[in-house]
Amino acid sequence: PHTGGMPSGFRRGFYILQAQHNRTGGKYIGFGNLANTCGQVLAPATTAMLVAVTGTYYSAFIVSALCALGGVLLILWIKNVK
């Protein structure tokens, strides 16, 4: 689904600024692309497997909540790295 052009434009602009001010900026653009697309690839496949195995979407909601919690913990961990 389309989430809107503004967030995507800001993100793309940030990546371009990183590439201009950093010798390894291209690497960060690649990491950003992977970070943005991996979830879009893995989520439907994981949900399909969970629904096929359990027969209900309940487990998909539990797994998505755990992934969100894991994301929060990773962000907090990254913010503490100096």
Side-chain angles (χ1 to χ4, degrees):
H2 181 64
T3 58
M6 265 178 62
S8 177
F10 284 124
R11 188 178 315 120
R12 194 167 295 123
F14 176 73
Y15 293 150
I16 290 170
L17 286 174
Q18 283 287 353
Q20 290 175 351
H21 296 294
N22 193 344
R23 287 181 37 194
T24 59
K27 177 174 66 174
Y28 295 116
I29 292 173
F31 288 149
N33 285 334
L34 281 174
N36 288 326
T37 57
C38 282
Q40 295 175 358
V41 171
L42 295 176
T46 304
T47 302
M49 287 189 314
L50 287 170
V51 171
V53 169
T54 63
T56 181
Y57 283 94
Y58 181 76
S59 60
F61 288 114
I62 298 298
V63 170
S64 66
L66 291 174
C67 287
L69 180 63
V72 167
L73 294 174
L74 284 173
I75 289 171
L76 291 174
W77 177 63
I78 290 171
K79 285 181 74 171
N80 288 330
V81 174
K82 301 278 179 185

